[in-house]
Every structure is written in C-alpha cells, then in structure tokens.
Amino acid sequence: RPHETVERLIVHRRNRENKVVNALRGAGEGTVEALVATVYDDTPQRLHGWAMRSLLAHLQKLEVDGRAREDEGVWRLAE
C-alpha cells in the first residue's frame, strides 16, 4: 500500500514542521544545536546528529516559505 505509506510520511513531516515552528515560538530564537533537543524529543539523543540535518532542512523550507529567517546561525520566526 504505497499510497498509505506516502500519506503517513507526509503527515509525519507536517507534524515535525509544526514542532519546529512551536520550538521557535517558545524559544524566540535558536541555533540548530539548541533546537534539536526540543524538536526531536521523541528521538534518541545518539541520533541527534542526524536529526540536526533534518531540522536544518525544515528551517530552510520555512525560510523559503517566508515563515522563518536565519542570521549568523540563529533562527527565528519571521512572523
């Protein structure tokens, strides 16, 4: 059932993006290193190195969407 698998993946990515936005909203701003523990609180810490890459991709997508911005490695909401 590939359609269901893809749909679950899309839902998972949207939920993770919401966690990124909520983390930025709660912290006001942060680096990828500072945000990863909050955004990936459901991921073992030993995997946070990999999770930071995914987090950066989320942040960059939010930047393209005009929802976040980065200045010298510090991210914040653009809202």
Side-chain angles (χ1 to χ4, degrees):
R1 300 180 184 193
H3 181 73
E4 290 176 13
T5 300
V6 170
E7 193 60 38
R8 277 194 309 271
L9 180 60
I10 291 169
V11 167
H12 175 75
R13 300 317 306 159
R14 284 186 188 146
N15 288 340
R16 187 69 72 188
E17 182 175 298
N18 287 335
K19 286 184 82 170
V20 173
V21 170
N22 288 335
L24 285 173
R25 191 171 284 132
E29 64 181 28
T31 63
V32 172
E33 294 82 5
L35 294 168
V36 72
T38 301
V39 176
Y40 286 86
D41 60 344
D42 56 346
T43 301
Q45 189 172 9
R46 72 182 193 291
L47 299 176
H48 282 191
W50 291 102
M52 283 192 292
R53 293 177 183 177
S54 183
L55 174 56
L56 180 58
H58 278 290
L59 290 164
Q60 290 170 335
K61 187 252 185 209
L62 289 168
E63 184 175 38
V64 168
D65 292 347
R67 298 178 63 202
R69 60 188 173 89
E70 180 265 339
D71 184 37
E72 297 185 18
V74 178
W75 289 89
R76 60 188 50 83
L77 291 177
E79 304 173 304

